[in-house]
Amino acid sequence: MRFAAIGLDHRHIFHMVGRLIEAGATCVGFDPATSDERVLAGFRERFPALAPCDREALLDDPTIDLIACAAIPRDRAAIAIRSMEAGKDVMLDKPGVTDFGQLAAVEAAVARTGRIFSICFSERFVVPATIVAGKLIADGAIGRVIQTVGLGPHRLNRAIRPGWFFDTATYGGILTDIASHQIDQFLHFTGSTEAQIVTSAVGHFGADDWPGFEDFGEILLRGDRAGGYIRCDWFTADGLPTWGDGRLTLLGTEGTIELRKYVDIAGRPGTDHVFLVDRSGTRHIDASREPLTYFRDLVADVGARSETAMRQSHVFTVCRLALEAQAQAVRLATRPERSAA
């Protein structure tokens, strides 16, 4: 499978390209256009053998099967549609779309072209712990999953963020963006194919220089099989040795699984900690060596025209729920009300 990278605006393009190469695909080039020269520099450092190429030349190359894209979020849907119309499958960074019009246009393009529209939900696909958790659930370790609690804290790193990062119209809002990870995991681990947003909220509690920037968000949702709570934020403190203490708790009828994906604070070193509680006791599982499957499955899907990496309907459901949560969200007060004197 041959692919190219278009949209070097977010650092997620590093693992998107790197993991595809590890899965056996060949990267034939990249479009060097970027809104952040630091991302381009980092890309060149990681992939010195790859050659820059004009975007249209990449899209017009009939030997290229797939486009990997981490462009400015607002621009991703248009790049995906152009790529699909050129006969290519696409793998986007999240969020794949930032409004309902884009979602409708992408769905129409998939129906029209028959191409694959995939989103690399890295908090599941690049985390070995989620694969181990999926195997435990499939084996019946905790019975039927009836609720998920997904936490997605992030470090802001304001000094390295481009201007578009703080513009809600450009990145789509915190629930459209970050919470799409947790919505994806809720649907996947509960086996739900549909869900409703019960309530959602966003807020800005940080520095006053970007008052419109959403640095906190939460969602309560209920599917056809289970319920879920999601919280995401930009308040990871500098003292944490990684970008965020991402956690997922899976409540089953016969036990629980907790994933501490990136760090076990003040505990075991490394990443991908899985904690299992069942009728026999408690257990810690080091999942860090579990092989990732999404990228190799996507490479296979491109050739076989299958949906083993992720169902197309699942992708669209995640996008729709994230957009609905964002559209329905109440705005939380940024400062506590003062009582009357």
Side-chain angles (χ1 to χ4, degrees), residues 56-92:
E56 290 303 315
L58 293 172
L59 291 171
D60 290 339
D61 185 342
T63 71
I64 293 176
D65 303 297
L66 178 141
I67 298 297
C69 175
I72 295 173
R74 176 192 57 199
D75 300 334
R76 292 172 189 172
I79 293 172
I81 292 170
R82 173 72 177 87
S83 300
M84 290 187 286
E85 290 176 340
K88 289 142 180 40
D89 298 318
V90 293
M91 178 183 68
L92 303 184

Side-chain angles (χ1 to χ4, degrees), residues 160-175:
I160 67 169
R161 300 294 183 180
W164 61 258
F165 174 86
F166 298 96
D167 182 358
T168 303
T170 303
Y171 74 89
I174 192 169
L175 301 182

Side-chain angles (χ1 to χ4, degrees), residues 174 201-203 205 214-218 229 231-233 235 332:
I174 192 169
V202 298
F205 298 95
E214 297 170 357
D215 52 25
F216 177 89
E218 61 181 353
Y229 173 76
R231 191 205 78 209
C232 47
D233 65 78
F235 291 112
L332 301 173

Side-chain angles (χ1 to χ4, degrees), residues 189-235:
F189 285 113
T190 66
S192 298
T193 57
E194 287 293 337
Q196 295 77 43
I197 305 300
V198 178
T199 187
S200 57
V202 298
H204 175 83
F205 298 95
D208 292 333
D209 52 347
W210 294 100
F213 176 63
E214 297 170 357
D215 52 25
F216 177 89
E218 61 181 353
I219 303 171
L220 181 65
L221 71 167
R222 187 159 303 282
D224 51 343
R225 297 172 57 86
Y229 173 76
I230 293 166
R231 191 205 78 209
C232 47
D233 65 78
W234 288 101
F235 291 112

Side-chain angles (χ1 to χ4, degrees), residues 121-137:
F121 293 114
S122 55
E123 292 189 28
R124 176 160 67 97
F125 295 140
V126 190
V127 176
T130 64
I131 300 173
V132 170
K135 290 181 176 180
L136 289 170
I137 292 169

Side-chain angles (χ1 to χ4, degrees), residues 121-131 133 149-153 181-182 184-186 189 242-249 258-265 269-275 287-288:
F121 293 114
S122 55
E123 292 189 28
R124 176 160 67 97
F125 295 140
V126 190
V127 176
T130 64
I131 300 173
V149 176
L151 306 181
H181 283 303
Q182 282 70 40
D184 161 67
Q185 291 166 78
F186 165 78
F189 285 113
T242 187
W243 56 266
D245 183 13
R247 301 189 186 192
L248 176 66
T249 300
E258 181 183 357
L259 280 62
R260 296 190 178 184
K261 301 177 180 180
Y262 312 112
V263 62
D264 180 11
I265 58 172
T271 62
D272 294 284
H273 302 276
V274 177
F275 298 91
S288 60

